[in-house]
Amino acid sequence: MPLGKFRFFLALLLAPLSLLSLGQAGQEADVWVRVLLQEAPPAGVAVGTPEGEVRLRPVPGGVWAEGRVVDRLVLPGPFRLEGRSYRGSLVVLPSASRLLLVNALPLEEYLLGVLPVEMPKSFPRQALMAQAVLARTYAISRLNPQAPYDLCATELCQVYGGMGVETPVHREAVEATRGQVVSLPAEGTPRAISALYHSDSGGMTAASEEVYGRFVPYLRPRPDPFSPRRAWEVRLPWGRLSEALGLSGKGTPPPGEGFSVLKRSESGRAYRVRILGKEVEGPEATRLLRALGLPSTLIEEVQPGPEGVLVRGRGAGHGLGLSQWGAKGMAEAGYGYREILGYYFPGTFLSELWVR
């Protein structure tokens, strides 16, 4: 289809899409976010728009779109990309030999595509509301007008599934907490926290030092009595451990040199480990253990054998901040979303993005 039949906006104003865009007097302000959906390969990609399909590919000097080359463009939405529908607009930016496909949309609409893939609709309403506030806070804390996008759409940020995953239950949780974020006291405007969450703490949340290597006052180890403490076990062949450490040899290591936990953190997680004679500590140990496929670093038992090591533990995720299954238990016990957030993030408070 000829390019002229599409309503392209070639003068793209990126910065306002990631800032508060003030409405008229008496109205709420809109906050826009920019979510990287994918990096399109050199072969290009097809995007479905209300007016038809548009084929795009990277070329020297910009973006090739239906026979015309532009330095960047915006396709109005809703649009479809690889079988998924999205609200807002698609911002297309050249990046070396690829295209950055960025979904720009209002924050509250973005949350409609996040909450369903981060927490099941079967969870209690108060747990869903706590998750909605955290997802909003996470997005707000990562707005960066100087970058080409604010967030990614995968578990490296928080998962975003577009319009196809939306449900009435999740929409209600988003609308019931509209504009609310978890903040720290600060001079002038409150500052949004780093709103981290995970699946199951295993009975005790982690401290920021275990993952970040630095102290964060609201990310402290706390008992998580409503955590299901799910047990797990993982078998790790010696060859896999050697490869992960960049070592040669796949034979059975000497006793005590295979895999051992030398020190535990305040939360009980493995803080210093010795694997095949090499010791790692703190965040480096956390990264290594998670890269090996352990669901968490809350290791309870290590059993070496001739072929490898059997590691047993409990919990799932990094353990920082809110435990989603713990929040479910708290909600079922009668706690409200404010109490849930206050428990997992001590010293914080709820603030609102807009003055009502």
Side-chain angles (χ1 to χ4, degrees):
M1 186 173 292
L3 184 66
K5 293 187 178 181
F6 294 93
R7 294 172 293 154
F8 287 114
F9 299 90
L10 303 182
L12 176 61
L13 301 177
L14 282 178
L17 295 180
S18 63
L19 300 175
L20 287 174
S21 177
L22 298 179
Q24 298 177 0
Q27 294 182 337
E28 293 179 346
D30 286 332
V31 180
W32 285 65
V33 295
R34 299 164 301 155
V35 188
L36 176 66
L37 300 179
Q38 66 169 258
E39 293 187 26
V45 66
V47 179
T49 76
E51 297 178 358
E53 184 178 88
V54 183
R55 305 197 68 82
L56 310 167
R57 70 170 184 264
V59 295
V63 181
W64 181 92
E66 299 292 346
R68 181 176 176 181
V69 176
V70 294
D71 60 349
R72 58 175 70 182
L73 60 85
V74 176
L75 293 173
F79 64 91
R80 289 185 61 81
L81 178 64
E82 294 189 346
R84 289 189 174 186
S85 296
Y86 297 91
R87 298 174 178 272
S89 301
L90 179 66
V91 181
V92 185
L93 303 171
S95 177
S97 61
R98 293 176 175 267
L99 296 177
L100 300 182
L101 304 181
V102 180
N103 185 192
L105 74 167
L107 170 61
E108 300 299 312
E109 294 184 9
Y110 160 72
L111 296 176
L112 300 178
V114 171
L115 199 58
V117 286
E118 289 290 358
M119 183 171 279
K121 65 180 181 181
S122 60
F123 275 34
R125 180 174 184 268
Q126 295 298 315
L128 289 169
M129 290 170 67
Q131 181 68 63
V133 173
L134 281 188
R136 183 182 295 109
T137 306
Y138 183 95
I140 286 293
S141 69
R142 282 155 177 77
L143 296 183
N144 183 4
Q146 307 307 315
Y149 56 88
D150 305 304
L151 300 148
C152 61
T154 70
E155 63 276 0
L156 294 177
C157 299
Q158 51 188 9
V159 183
Y160 170 57
M163 295 174 63
V165 301
E166 296 176 12
T167 76
V169 172
H170 292 99
R171 174 184 288 275
E172 195 279 334
V174 171
E175 293 179 348
T177 62
R178 182 175 178 82
Q180 295 181 356
V181 295
V182 184
S183 302
L184 279 178
E187 294 184 4
T189 304
R191 179 166 56 89
I193 67 167
S194 180
L196 299 177
Y197 51 90
H198 59 281
S199 178
D200 175 11
S201 71
M204 177 71 76
T205 65
S208 59
E209 294 90 333
E210 300 176 49
V211 178
Y212 291 150
R214 59 183 175 85
F215 176 84
V216 178
Y218 52 83
L219 295 177
R220 312 316 310 151
R222 309 207 75 184
D224 193 11
F226 294 101
S227 162
R229 307 186 184 197
R230 288 190 175 86
W232 51 261
E233 64 177 40
V234 176
R235 295 184 181 274
L236 298 172
W238 295 126
R240 183 176 176 187
L241 294 175
S242 297
E243 182 180 350
L245 292 168
L247 304 174
S248 59
K250 300 182 180 180
T252 304
E257 293 296 323
F259 191 123
S260 56
V261 178
L262 304 179
K263 181 181 179 181
R264 295 185 180 274
S265 66
E266 186 179 350
S267 72
R269 288 168 170 78
Y271 191 76
R272 183 191 302 153
V273 297
R274 179 188 292 123
I275 301 178
L276 300 180
K278 181 176 180 178
E279 291 189 16
V280 291
E281 181 175 306
E284 184 182 358
T286 297
R287 287 191 293 269
L288 174 61
L289 294 174
R290 295 303 304 281
L292 287 170
L294 301 188
S296 78
T297 58
L298 202 52
I299 296 172
E300 295 186 310
E301 184 181 8
V302 176
Q303 290 185 351
E307 302 298 327
V309 61
L310 175 65
V311 185
R312 293 190 175 95
R314 65 179 191 273
H318 50 61
L320 291 176
L322 179 136
S323 163
Q324 292 173 315
W325 281 88
K328 175 180 182 291
M330 289 187 70
E332 291 172 340
Y335 291 95
Y337 78 102
R338 294 174 180 269
E339 295 170 295
I340 294 171
L341 293 170
Y343 183 78
Y344 287 108
F345 301 96
T348 65
F349 68 99
L350 283 184
S351 62
E352 297 196 5
L353 295 174
W354 307 296
V355 178
R356 300 181 186 275

